[in-house]
Amino acid sequence: MYLRRNLSVLLLLLTGGLTNAQTSNTAKVESMLKKMTLEEKVGQMAQITLDVIGKGKDRFTSDEPFSLDEKAMQKALVQYKLGSVLNTSNNRARTPQVWYDIITKIQQSAMKGTKNGIPVLYGIDAIHGETYTAGATMFPQQIGQAATFNRSLVHKGAEITAYETRASSIPWAFSPLLDLGADPRFPRQWESFGEDPYLVTQMGIQAVKGLQGDNNDVDNPSHVAASIKHFLGYQVPVSGKDRTPAFISDQALREYHLPSFQAAIAAGAKTIMINSGIINGVPVHANYNLLTKLLKEELGFKGLAVTDWGDIENLYQRDHVAKDNKDAVRIAINAGIDMSMVAYNYEAFCDDLIALVKEGKVKESRIDDAVRRILLVKYELNLFNKPTTNPKDYPKFGSKEFEQASYQAAAESITLLKNTDQVLPLNKPVKILVTGPNANSMRTLNGAWTYSWQGEKVEEFAAKYHTFLKAIELKTGKQNVTYVPGVSYKMDGKYFEEYADQLDAAIAAAKNADVVVLCLGENSYTESPGNLSDLYLSDLQTELAQKLAATGKKIILVLNEGRPRIISKFEHKMSAVLQSYLPGNFGGDAIADILFGTVNPSGRLPYTYPQFPNALFTYYHKPSESRSTTEGVYNYDSDYNPQYIFGQGLSYTTFKYSPLKLSTSTLKKDEILTVSVEVTNTGTLDGKESVLLYTSDLVATLISPDVKRLRAFDKIEIKTGETKTVIFKITADDLGFINPEGKKVTEDGDFTLQIADQKINFTYNQ
Ligand code: BGC
């Protein structure tokens, strides 16, 4: 026994703690690296978009139907020996068979045409399902997945996405997005798991595990390599607009933005994409401290770091921290970038990088480090032996089973924010007016990254699924439903362009209805095209809501939006409010089931819904942000005044929480605090309840503590009349915060623990 243990210790020491498979992949990488010329190595570090090697009039567009341009492919993959290709062509989804044909040809060109036969690593934005594959299962966008507060649904969604991505012959997904969605103005908040660091971290781990497999066995042809993104601090620029400067202290970076990435790296994420923005004046792609010191040295990230789109060029073209392309390449590669998502101008990237190495401005050891990381992912994915995966081996692609998983996620994401006088569910047949620009659109249900980048082609690919209108008609009978749009989006315009579309007719129709289902929100957008200058919901939609309210009819507001557009001008006139986020292809069915009570809603808001544009908070704000008055002559207004709080979410049943029980009232350093609470379903319907545990640190040294922080959650199903006990385990580490020196500390002192309306205090004493 003793001998065996020592032998294994010795082996672990010799192999640096690697498993057999890892050792052999590492050995393969080293042996390949020895055979490679500088040109080959640099080629591996470049990634191009598919249009570059497609037949067409230029690099930016390909002919339809798509076909590869042999000459362009020869130049890119054989002459320049490029390591990676991304994206689709002409910004549209392809069938799995077309993907298979394209990638087979790409791999043949790269592997047969070159001496070392290194396969291409194909990457794609599989964002809420395999974005660019026709027939793939589209899930709720991440913001809705977060609202489910159900880890297993996120895991399942990612697992199915991996399967369908491989069914399209693609082994690498640029997902999940682990940015903190803490700013409702940002055009990608909906791509995040919301504003809370713990929720983002927990769901991020599930997404990585779902994509890569629980054991990170990405050689399994149902798994893909994940690319967590966008490292680091992407979603909180000062202006609220995409790719503009953010100012984030080191303390805040580590407290709020780092944990999700740190946990996903610890969970085994194979690749990471870098934040396209600028933090404290420095473009992140040029930041050695973040990319090498923090990411690679401190966090020990062994995978590959890829730029975001064109971000090395951005260093000179946009940010002016480099004088030309060559200077930009030098800065980014020396900062720690392993692969450049060049997109188009790969010749300049490769030629400049080769010259820089020859001039001694980039060390060959840096190139070797980058190429090692790239090759390791390729070996781990088993691409050398199996460079493509064939759709015929993926019988479950687009299956009913997968669709059911998407429906389930949508049903658990939808969040009932308000339900005056229990207007919902609609128990008996009533005459319904369905109206609003989001009532009859598959595009708005899905949002961007659906069959195309901005989502404008959704109707073409998703015709067989049900819009809100269609699903409501199917549920209650067409004879009970009148539809008048009232307002419509300009489908060929900018996402925010809309026009009055029989607005007066909609008001007139309301008079003949018992209930109005008003579907408002946003059209699809992402990245800079989704920038926004006014967080209020549009004037036209507001007008529609107000005029409908003036009829005196009961209005059920169904929100379908990527970020919380402010509705305070008319919210008080709505009888019920349902947030559907961007629920995917089954969002219409899920809403109809919730409206008519077939499904009891159980989503919870994963962000704070603001009431005013100049009052944007996260729930974990500082005490100074939620003081309504202060003693003395001053009576100032710094009210914390959201429309709906983080975690808000009603049910058609009621839950009662027992007083909290703690295993001890004084937690010691290496002990565990066990918290238990009984939850009883006191209503008349079975329901699901997310139990959220918060703690508050009552006094902290120098750093003003957040008013409260989510530390644990669980979702349970409780039948009517039933009681369930929920148990959480809290450690000292869970209670810590990042101090001004950037170190995580848990200080002795008093804490409050809160679950629903129950609170209890305890002490931490090392
Ligand atoms: C986005 C990334 C995306 C990449 C590749 C970029 O513009 O910021 O999130 O993965 O494009 O399509």
Side-chain angles (χ1 to χ4, degrees):
M1 180 65 191
Y2 173 77
L3 186 70
R4 239 185 28 218
R5 226 183 73 200
N6 274 305
L7 263 181
S8 50
V9 168
L10 186 69
L11 269 174
L12 273 176
L13 283 176
L14 285 175
T15 56
L18 302 177
T19 65
N20 279 348
Q22 283 169 328
T23 314
S24 76
N25 281 333
T26 314
K28 285 178 196 159
V29 168
E30 290 309 320
S31 120
M32 177 60 82
L33 203 60
K34 285 204 189 90
K35 294 190 269 183
M36 292 169 78
T37 62
L38 174 63
E39 287 70 17
E40 276 176 296
K41 291 177 187 172
V42 165
Q44 284 300 308
M45 295 170 68
Q47 184 185 54
I48 49 167
T49 187
L50 182 58
D51 280 323
V52 170
I53 51 174
K55 259 199 199 119
K57 65 174 179 2
D58 55 33
R59 289 184 154 192
F60 305 99
T61 41
S62 302
D63 297 336
E64 284 299 338
F66 177 77
S67 66
L68 287 154
D69 178 339
E70 292 297 335
K71 243 177 87 194
M73 192 157 64
Q74 174 79 15
K75 182 175 170 201
L77 305 181
V78 180
Q79 187 189 333
Y80 273 85
K81 302 174 180 61
L82 302 186
S84 183
V85 180
L86 88 149
N87 210 11
T88 185
S89 62
N90 292 335
N91 185 30
R92 63 183 305 115
R94 312 280 158 186
T95 63
Q97 189 59 43
V98 167
W99 274 123
Y100 177 63
D101 295 342
I102 293 172
I103 292 175
T104 302
K105 288 191 185 125
I106 288 177
Q107 297 296 31
Q108 279 168 353
S109 171
M111 296 177 78
K112 294 209 175 118
T114 59
K115 186 168 63 77
N116 288 322
I118 302 174
V120 158
L121 178 57
Y122 206 106
I124 202 92
D125 287 286
I127 301 300
H128 65 126
E130 207 317 73
T131 297
Y132 292 117
T133 301
T137 310
M138 296 299 167
F139 287 83
Q141 296 280 1
Q142 271 187 219
I143 197 70
Q145 295 187 33
T148 67
F149 276 81
N150 187 334
R151 292 175 178 85
S152 65
L153 291 176
V154 174
H155 187 283
K156 186 91 197 149
E159 193 177 281
I160 291 170
T161 299
Y163 181 97
E164 295 194 340
T165 304
R166 282 288 195 147
S168 316
S169 221
I170 300 172
W172 186 21
F174 303 136
S175 177
L177 186 143
L178 300 184
D179 308 323
L180 201 64
D183 188 336
R185 300 168 304 165
F186 198 72
R188 306 184 76 172
Q189 193 196 25
W190 54 272
E191 289 181 59
S192 79
F193 286 123
E195 75 179 27
D196 178 62
Y198 179 74
L199 182 59
V200 175
T201 301
Q202 290 297 305
M203 295 316 202
I205 294 170
Q206 295 303 320
V208 169
K209 292 288 176 195
L211 290 170
Q212 297 193 163
D214 288 333
N215 301 316
N216 296 311
D217 50 339
V218 291
D219 58 334
N220 178 325
S222 296
H223 301 159
V224 295
S227 184
I228 54 176
K229 66 187 188 184
H230 306 83
F231 188 80
L232 183 67
Y234 175 50
Q235 293 224 8
V236 290
V238 176
S239 70
K241 302 211 165 126
D242 191 23
R243 292 166 160 90
T244 56
F247 291 90
I248 314 174
S249 71
D250 196 39
Q251 191 273 338
L253 209 58
R254 286 171 180 272
E255 177 72 49
Y256 306 109
H257 301 270
L258 192 58
S260 57
F261 287 97
Q262 190 166 11
I265 289 168
K270 300 283 176 198
T271 81
I272 196 163
M273 191 184 293
I274 305 307
N275 169 8
S276 200
I278 302 145
I279 298 182
N280 304 338
V282 183
V284 180
H285 283 78
N287 195 326
Y288 177 80
N289 283 337
L290 288 183
L291 303 188
T292 298
K293 293 304 254 187
L294 176 59
L295 174 65
K296 293 183 172 176
E297 294 177 9
E298 189 181 323
L299 301 186
F301 178 65
K302 299 277 180 288
L304 95 88
V306 61
T307 71
D308 201 339
W309 188 279
D311 269 317
I312 293 188
E313 287 170 7
N314 274 340
L315 293 183
Y316 78 101
Q317 288 180 344
R318 186 191 71 188
D319 295 332
H320 302 245
V321 296
K323 64 178 188 297
D324 54 22
N325 189 63
K326 190 170 168 186
D327 205 24
V329 172
R330 175 184 63 78
I331 293 168
I333 302 301
N334 284 339
I337 291 296
D338 302 315
M339 181 184 279
S340 172
M341 189 186 285
V342 192
Y344 298 104
N345 197 3
Y346 66 88
E347 298 92 333
F349 172 79
C350 294
D351 297 348
D352 283 341
L353 186 50
I354 292 167
L356 285 163
V357 177
K358 290 188 174 156
E359 291 159 20
K361 292 184 179 141
V362 173
K363 290 201 181 104
E364 191 146 4
S365 57
R366 176 70 268 276
I367 303 290
D368 285 349
D369 171 52
V371 177
R372 267 193 194 100
R373 291 163 182 269
I374 295 164
L375 290 177
L376 184 62
V377 174
K378 293 188 178 190
Y379 278 110
E380 287 180 332
L381 284 164
N382 197 25
L383 294 182
F384 285 83
N385 297 321
K386 203 172 164 57
T388 53
T389 37
N390 191 328
K392 77 172 170 36
D393 298 325
Y394 295 81
K396 292 210 257 176
F397 175 87
S399 60
K400 282 271 160 292
E401 177 194 334
F402 287 2
E403 292 189 343
Q404 179 56 31
S406 166
Y407 165 83
Q408 192 58 35
E412 287 203 25
S413 73
I414 289 162
T415 307
L416 180 62
L417 295 169
K418 177 177 178 182
N419 193 15
T420 312
D421 301 330
Q422 268 73 49
V423 60
L424 289 177
L426 302 170
N427 286 320
K428 51 181 194 313
V430 282
K431 294 271 173 223
I432 302 177
L433 168 68
V434 177
T435 182
N438 294 58
N440 197 22
S441 161
M442 286 312 301
R443 172 176 171 181
T444 63
L445 287 186
N446 279 286
W449 298 115
T450 314
Y451 313 117
S452 77
W453 179 40
Q454 296 289 324
E456 76 288 353
K457 300 187 177 80
V458 172
E459 310 302 333
E460 183 186 331
F461 288 91
K464 70 169 180 172
Y465 305 106
H466 306 146
T467 63
F468 289 137
L469 171 66
K470 182 77 191 168
I472 292 169
E473 283 176 353
L474 286 170
K475 193 86 193 169
T476 188
K478 226 176 158 171
Q479 71 284 2
N480 291 322
V481 181
T482 306
Y483 166 60
V484 187
V487 174
S488 287
Y489 298 115
K490 245 178 108 181
M491 286 303 185
D492 53 355
K494 297 204 167 88
Y495 81 92
F496 51 82
E497 289 179 328
E498 52 191 36
Y499 58 97
D501 189 356
Q502 306 170 57
L503 203 145
D504 294 337
I507 312 306
K511 294 181 183 136
N512 301 321
D514 300 316
V515 164
V516 178
V517 175
L518 173 60
C519 306
L520 303 182
E522 298 183 312
N523 203 354
S524 68
Y525 57 80
T526 184
E527 300 190 51
S528 303
N531 282 345
L532 177 71
S533 293
D534 183 0
L535 196 55
Y536 272 112
L537 192 69
S538 76
D539 289 348
L540 261 182
Q541 295 192 47
T542 304
E543 183 185 338
L544 177 64
Q546 279 170 334
K547 287 188 170 163
L548 286 168
T551 65
K553 295 290 166 154
K554 283 196 176 7
I555 303 178
I556 294 154
L557 174 63
V558 175
L559 293 167
N560 169 209
E561 54 187 2
R563 59 196 149 194
R565 298 294 294 269
I566 293 174
I567 53 172
S568 51
K569 288 178 186 164
F570 59 86
E571 193 270 354
H572 52 287
K573 297 175 186 162
M574 303 290 109
S575 297
V577 180
L578 280 162
Q579 173 61 285
S580 72
Y581 314 95
L582 303 171
N585 277 333
F586 297 91
D589 304 294
I591 276 285
D593 286 346
I594 285 180
L595 287 176
F596 295 97
T598 319
V599 168
N600 190 352
S602 66
R604 297 286 199 116
L605 209 55
Y607 51 66
T608 306
Y609 203 118
Q611 191 178 183
F612 306 106
N614 290 4
L616 307 181
F617 303 93
T618 53
Y619 83 83
Y620 47 88
H621 55 271
K622 301 295 178 190
S624 62
E625 290 172 285
S626 50
R627 305 190 71 196
S628 50
T629 55
T630 184
E631 283 170 29
V633 282
Y634 298 109
N635 190 351
Y636 62 69
D637 181 5
S638 61
D639 277 0
Y640 171 61
N641 52 13
Q643 186 79 61
Y644 308 112
I645 59 170
F646 173 90
Q648 169 102 344
L650 305 169
S651 168
Y652 294 153
T653 190
T654 44
F655 297 102
K656 192 169 177 307
Y657 284 71
S658 72
L660 308 177
K661 276 196 212 131
L662 303 184
S663 57
T664 172
S665 59
T666 307
L667 179 67
K668 297 263 175 213
K669 191 156 180 248
D670 296 314
E671 284 178 5
I672 287 172
L673 176 68
T674 305
V675 184
S676 72
V677 62
E678 286 172 5
V679 189
T680 306
N681 182 341
T682 48
T684 52
L685 281 172
D686 297 347
K688 289 182 180 154
E689 172 77 339
S690 292
V691 182
L692 274 46
L693 183 156
Y694 297 93
T695 63
S696 311
D697 188 352
L698 302 188
V699 179
T701 307
L702 286 175
I703 300 289
S704 175
D706 296 336
V707 292
K708 61 177 184 176
R709 290 288 293 274
L710 184 69
R711 301 300 187 192
F713 64 83
D714 199 4
K715 190 165 192 175
I716 49 170
E717 198 166 351
I718 319 182
K719 296 211 172 343
T720 167
E722 195 187 4
T723 297
K724 278 197 174 160
T725 304
V726 181
I727 293 176
F728 295 110
K729 295 196 181 301
I730 300 293
T731 65
D733 192 57
D734 295 330
L735 305 170
F737 68 97
I738 303 294
N739 72 10
E741 284 76 50
K743 295 273 168 301
K744 185 149 190 200
V745 288
T746 307
E747 295 180 337
D748 283 0
D750 293 337
F751 291 80
T752 300
L753 198 148
Q754 183 183 352
I755 299 178
D757 55 353
Q758 302 295 317
K759 284 188 182 179
I760 193 165
N761 280 11
F762 69 93
T763 306
Y764 175 68
N765 188 341
Q766 299 207 21

